[in-house]
Amino acid sequence: MSSVTSGRSGGPGKGAVPRDKSRHLRLSVVAPCYNEQDTLPVFMDRLQAACEAAVGRAYELILVNDGSRDDTWKIIQAFAASRSGVVGINLARNHGHQLAVSAGLKLTRGDWVLVIDADLQDPPELLAQMLRTAAEGFDVVYGRRRTRASESRFKLATASLFYRLLGSVSDVDIPQDVGDFRLVSRRIADRLNAMPEQDRFIRGMVAWLGGRQTEILYDRDARYAGETKYTLSKMLRLAVAGLTGFSTAPLNLAVVLALAGTLIGVAIFLYAFVGYFFGRAAPGWTSLALISVFFGVGQLGCLAIVGAYLGRVYMQVKGRPLYLIDEIVASPDLAAPADLTNTSA
Ligand code: UDP
Ligand code: MG
């Protein structure tokens, strides 16, 4: 894997801007880019202006090229060579939005981390307001969409259905109308990076991490250029990642079916028995009905048991910490115990 951190490896390196490599970074920005060659120049101008207004030069912009087939990577390389504060990451192939964001997050060094789409649907100018809100004492400030310009009805309807379904089965409260546009503290970013799960549904993982979280409302603009890169199959994959990652409710379906099957089985059993004694059943029907009821209910019951264990194995395999401590206070006469669950440094 090649990771470029100085902008001088590859690309037109001549006009590289000398900069102070040891400066303290107050902000890291992560932007996943997939075939965004037409939006990148405008995106960078607006984003850099917003970052400079908010934190001066104490920022890094991490642009993750997610296996684009257009000139996205060339443009990122040129940015890294000619502008200050740019880090480009070239993924080996298209891994999808969630993994592109994960790759960028892992390399962040700033005190705060902003995740933003590269298509200008999330306005970079909100950064200042997000930082101000965060300074009031929040770990996470996420953008909640008040309006969504030019999003298809189909997308709005399926998204709303999905979030309602997820809300009803999920163990954590995952906010509605919220994407991955958010500002998170170093602590949250470190904890997120330490979560080893493969199937990543970042907005759910951040919700799961808890801490002090708040929202700011914004109007989601139309895409600056090009088409959505979230095809139907990618949306479905994200939905399945969200549902299965934050709930084992689908596994409980076997339990529900087994209970329903038992009730129906008892009814059929009684019906078959009565029919047999009153001579109303065709020869052989009673035994066949009883055999199929017995095996049907038996199999569903066994599936329910397997499901219960599988759910537990699944949660264990995810390797998430059992709980996260935000803060420990102790009386002055006692040293506070170290938080061994805290994954952040
Ligand atoms: N993206 C990505 N990999 C993908 C799909 C999308 O890195 O496989 C990026 C894309 O370039 C954009 C962001 O993720 O910056 C959100 O994608 P998009 O705007 O297409 O999704 P939508 O806003 O339509 O849900
Ligand atoms: Mg978009």
Side-chain angles (χ1 to χ4, degrees):
M1 188 164 59
S2 72
S3 71
V4 182
T5 49
S6 74
R8 289 198 184 83
S9 46
K14 271 182 254 155
V17 176
R19 56 179 201 262
D20 173 14
K21 287 187 179 166
S22 64
R23 68 172 181 248
H24 176 81
L25 294 173
R26 283 188 53 211
L27 174 73
S28 300
V29 179
V30 175
C33 312
Y34 180 53
N35 296 343
E36 300 288 6
Q37 61 178 21
D38 298 329
T39 68
L40 271 178
V42 189
F43 170 69
M44 280 294 282
D45 287 345
R46 277 178 57 184
L47 181 62
Q48 281 200 296
C51 290
E52 253 150 58
V55 298
R57 289 192 37 176
Y59 67 87
E60 60 178 352
L61 305 183
I62 302 185
L63 302 173
V64 185
N65 176 38
D66 186 20
S68 299
R69 276 180 292 242
D70 63 2
D71 283 337
T72 296
W73 178 238
K74 275 196 194 136
I75 294 173
I76 294 176
Q77 282 178 312
F79 283 149
S82 61
R83 299 187 183 213
S84 158
V86 177
V87 174
I89 301 173
N90 196 21
L91 296 186
R93 64 171 175 84
N94 178 240
H95 284 280
H97 175 240
Q98 298 290 300
L99 291 186
V101 171
S102 301
L105 280 172
K106 200 91 180 182
L107 300 185
T108 57
R109 294 164 287 190
D111 300 337
W112 292 94
V113 178
L114 176 75
V115 177
I116 186 169
D117 286 356
D119 61 356
L120 288 172
Q121 284 201 278
D122 310 322
E125 293 74 21
L126 282 179
L127 170 65
Q129 192 191 339
M130 286 174 140
L131 279 166
R132 273 198 305 275
T133 308
E136 289 166 17
F138 291 98
D139 293 304
V140 178
V141 181
Y142 51 80
R144 187 205 283 270
R145 299 150 181 179
R146 183 167 36 204
T147 58
R148 301 174 79 171
S150 75
E151 213 90 81
S152 74
R153 270 186 192 195
F154 175 74
K155 182 146 187 169
L156 294 181
T158 46
S160 137
L161 187 73
F162 166 68
Y163 280 105
R164 230 170 302 152
L165 181 64
L166 185 60
S168 64
V169 298
S170 162
D171 319 324
V172 283
D173 229 357
I174 299 172
Q176 292 222 2
D177 291 324
V178 171
D180 289 319
F181 179 40
R182 59 186 67 219
L183 183 75
V184 303
S185 64
R186 178 78 261 149
R187 175 162 73 173
I188 293 286
D190 286 339
R191 289 179 169 182
L192 201 54
N193 289 338
M195 287 171 83
E197 56 205 80
Q198 292 267 316
D199 216 3
R200 298 178 88 77
F201 183 65
I202 295 172
R203 58 203 76 164
M205 292 162 72
V206 173
W208 184 87
L209 283 169
R212 287 161 302 244
Q213 309 210 359
T214 189
E215 65 180 30
I216 61 167
L217 285 173
Y218 76 108
D219 299 305
R220 191 153 212 247
D221 294 328
R223 208 169 216 291
Y224 177 77
E227 307 242 292
T228 176
K229 309 298 183 303
Y230 253 99
T231 53
L232 187 61
S233 70
K234 280 183 178 166
M235 259 165 61
L236 275 175
R237 233 177 294 160
L238 184 72
V240 171
L243 282 176
T244 55
F246 289 87
S247 162
T248 48
L251 280 176
N252 296 337
L253 198 64
V255 177
V256 176
L257 288 179
L259 287 176
T262 308
L263 287 180
I264 296 170
V266 169
I268 292 179
F269 180 83
L270 290 176
Y271 178 75
F273 230 68
V274 171
Y276 179 77
F277 279 113
F278 287 91
R280 274 196 278 126
W285 185 88
T286 312
S287 53
L288 275 181
L290 292 184
I291 287 168
S292 62
V293 163
F294 175 77
F295 283 105
V297 171
Q299 279 173 4
L300 280 171
C302 291
L303 270 181
I305 294 168
V306 171
Y309 280 96
L310 190 63
R312 281 155 182 78
V313 169
Y314 178 60
M315 296 317 277
Q316 181 86 34
V317 161
K318 272 186 187 296
R320 288 181 186 168
L322 295 182
Y323 50 83
L324 293 160
I325 296 174
D326 257 357
E327 213 177 339
I328 299 176
V329 292
S331 308
D333 60 332
L334 207 64
D339 174 13
L340 298 177
T341 61
N342 194 344
T343 47
S344 61

